[in-house]
Amino acid sequence: MIPAEKIIVALDTQDDKKVEALFKALSGEHVWIKIGMEAFYTFGPDVVFDAHDKGFKIFLDLKLHDIPNTVANGLKTLARLPVDMMNVHAAGGKEMMMRSLDALSSHPKRPLLIAVTQLTSTSEAQMQTDQKISTTLAESVLNYARITKEAGFDGVVSSPLEVGLIKQELGENFITVTPGIRPKDYASDDQKRITTPLEALKMGTDFMVIGRPITESSDPKLALKNILEGK
């Protein structure tokens, strides 16, 4: 059985009726809601307040990446919203993350801060060709995780496949949030590095991000129930 508190449901839509229906279907299920660029840019802060008012914990997934001052001030503004977790791109560098953490030092209840390592839609060949990173993908992820911890952040976004390495080197308390989760026999869509929910749980992930298998289901509550039961 997978604890519902480990599931972050990805709200990636521009349809307000889908948002309303999903919140209604998952009400009381103790899952998190991930509000990404698509939903936030469509509905603005209202969708955050709506999710909060309905009792969900919120991961605001905007993946900030800019010069240190801009990202720090951006996060400081976003932290005024009732969010529980926010993220940046680790590729922005240690200084960017340290400045971001410092900007939130006086926050009365600071959200968790995590950094994206390598997107789960990126293959090793793509990374080496497009980003000109000559190491293995796992080594790149671990390097980004190291500088994220050195900057004082709470954890990283990675695929489930790298969780073991991250936990082994950086400790069990360093949070891992893992997209690329697909129930057995579900299409991989644009994800490259994927596992099933049960596999991700065994690998030690703290939170698993699941979108379309739940949000595109005709019965999101049943889809979630099946995932929690390991089906």
Side-chain angles (χ1 to χ4, degrees), residues 119-121 179-182 188-194 212:
L119 298 173
T120 50
S121 59
I181 308 294
R182 290 290 184 271
S188 60
D189 298 309
D190 52 356
Q191 304 283 10
K192 301 277 175 54
R193 292 158 27 243
I194 63 174
R212 283 166 278 196

Side-chain angles (χ1 to χ4, degrees), residues 153-174:
F153 268 36
D154 301 293
V156 290
V157 179
S158 74
S159 90
L161 303 175
E162 294 94 38
V163 168
L165 286 172
I166 292 168
K167 294 288 189 181
Q168 181 178 351
E169 177 156 336
L170 302 176
E172 289 297 322
N173 293 328
F174 193 62

Side-chain angles (χ1 to χ4, degrees), residues 31-111:
V31 295
W32 287 58
I33 294 292
K34 180 181 83 72
I35 298 172
M37 296 179 191
E38 187 174 358
F40 191 77
Y41 295 162
T42 301
F43 307 112
D46 287 350
V47 71
V48 176
F49 287 109
D50 193 16
H52 175 74
D53 290 345
K54 292 192 167 50
F56 296 107
K57 284 194 170 183
I58 300 162
F59 169 25
L60 186 59
D61 176 30
L62 300 183
K63 301 181 180 72
L64 276 65
H65 186 177
D66 211 309
I67 63 172
N69 188 63
T70 298
V71 171
N73 287 331
L75 285 176
K76 191 172 183 178
T77 297
L78 292 170
R80 296 172 187 167
L81 300 173
V83 297
D84 302 279
M85 186 187 298
M86 301 190 295
N87 65 353
V88 304
H89 267 290
K94 191 191 299 186
E95 182 186 351
M96 184 194 79
M97 290 187 277
M98 290 174 67
R99 289 278 295 277
S100 298
L101 183 64
D102 186 59
L104 299 184
S105 61
S106 62
H107 194 282
K109 189 180 177 182
R110 177 178 69 77

Side-chain angles (χ1 to χ4, degrees), residues 96-229:
M96 184 194 79
M97 290 187 277
M98 290 174 67
R99 289 278 295 277
S100 298
L101 183 64
D102 186 59
L104 299 184
S105 61
S106 62
H107 194 282
K109 189 180 177 182
R110 177 178 69 77
L112 294 171
L113 291 174
I114 62 174
V116 178
T117 55
Q118 290 285 352
L119 298 173
T120 50
S121 59
T122 301
S123 68
E124 185 164 283
Q126 284 176 314
M127 179 197 74
Q128 292 173 348
T129 301
D130 298 344
Q131 301 177 33
K132 302 301 181 185
I133 294 176
S134 58
T135 64
T136 65
L137 198 147
E139 288 169 339
S140 175
V141 168
L142 194 54
N143 178 61
Y144 279 136
R146 285 191 198 105
I147 66 170
T148 299
K149 184 168 185 179
E150 288 168 4
F153 268 36
D154 301 293
V156 290
V157 179
S158 74
S159 90
L161 303 175
E162 294 94 38
V163 168
L165 286 172
I166 292 168
K167 294 288 189 181
Q168 181 178 351
E169 177 156 336
L170 302 176
E172 289 297 322
N173 293 328
F174 193 62
I175 294 168
T176 52
V177 177
T178 53
I181 308 294
R182 290 290 184 271
K184 188 179 179 182
D185 301 325
Y186 194 90
S188 60
D189 298 309
D190 52 356
Q191 304 283 10
K192 301 277 175 54
R193 292 158 27 243
I194 63 174
T195 70
T196 67
L198 277 179
E199 288 169 340
L201 185 68
K202 290 176 182 176
M203 290 172 177
T205 190
D206 296 293
F207 298 100
M208 52 189 85
V209 179
I210 306 176
R212 283 166 278 196
I214 295 173
T215 61
E216 297 298 322
S217 170
S218 59
D219 189 340
K221 188 167 186 172
L222 178 60
L224 172 65
K225 180 176 179 289
N226 288 336
I227 288 169
L228 296 179
E229 292 177 354

Side-chain angles (χ1 to χ4, degrees), residues 13-21 42-43:
T13 183
Q14 300 175 38
D15 186 336
D16 59 345
K17 291 185 175 58
K18 279 190 176 181
V19 173
E20 185 179 347
T42 301
F43 307 112

